[in-house]
């Protein structure tokens, strides 16, 4: 998978509120599928489908601990998404700075000239 496809997979995985909630829970540490499924009103197989999507995007990995297969958050794809978004945030910041400058210039041009008092 190339960088563009990984970014697409990350944003696709993040598009679903259940998957974002799963990632938020995993941010506190490793959890089993059953532990992840607890707060959701859906079946364990439905949670597993969400986990598979997160795994395909590289956002979640599963380990092996005896009988348990804990899930863990993998942050690297999130960093790539953050960097992609950050470029656009910087662009918007520059646009807003230019707009602020323009508005200040327009506001200054509107003000009537100040008169000097005679002594």
């Amino acid at each position: 998978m190339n960088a563009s496809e990984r970014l697409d997979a990350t944003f696709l995985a993040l598009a679903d509120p259940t998957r974002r909630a799963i990632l938020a829970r995993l941010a506190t540490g490793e959890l089993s599928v059953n532990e992840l499924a607890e707060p959701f009103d859906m079946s364990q197989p439905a949670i597993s489908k969400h986990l598979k999507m997160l795994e395909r995007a590289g956002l979640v990995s599963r380990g092996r601990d005896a009988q348990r297969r804990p899930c863990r958050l993998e942050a690297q794809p999130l960093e790539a998404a953050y960097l992609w978004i950050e470029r656009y945030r910087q662009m918007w910041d520059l646009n807003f700075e230019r707009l602020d400058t323009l508005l200040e210039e327009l506001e200054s041009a509107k003000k009537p000239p100040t008169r000097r008092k005679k002594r």
Side-chain angles (χ1 to χ4, degrees), residues 7 11 14 80-91:
L7 193 59
F11 283 123
L14 293 174
Y82 168 78
L83 292 173
W84 185 87
I85 292 169
E86 180 62 15
R87 283 184 293 184
Y88 290 94
R89 188 198 61 78
Q90 289 173 357
M91 177 196 66

Side-chain angles (χ1 to χ4, degrees), residues 9-74:
T10 298
F11 283 123
L12 181 61
L14 293 174
D16 184 86
T18 300
R19 291 191 288 270
R20 290 191 306 270
I22 289 170
L23 292 177
R25 296 204 62 220
L26 289 174
T28 63
E30 293 181 353
L31 294 169
S32 70
V33 175
N34 288 334
E35 291 167 330
L36 279 171
E38 283 174 11
F40 299 102
D41 188 24
M42 62 179 63
S43 67
Q44 196 258 338
I47 291 293
S48 290
K49 284 183 181 181
H50 284 295
L51 282 171
K52 284 179 186 169
M53 171 75 84
L54 291 167
E55 282 181 284
R56 278 193 298 265
L59 292 164
V60 169
S61 64
R62 293 193 204 198
R64 185 164 298 277
D65 182 17
Q67 298 286 336
R68 191 169 175 260
R69 293 201 58 207
C71 299
R72 76 179 54 85
L73 176 66
E74 298 294 340

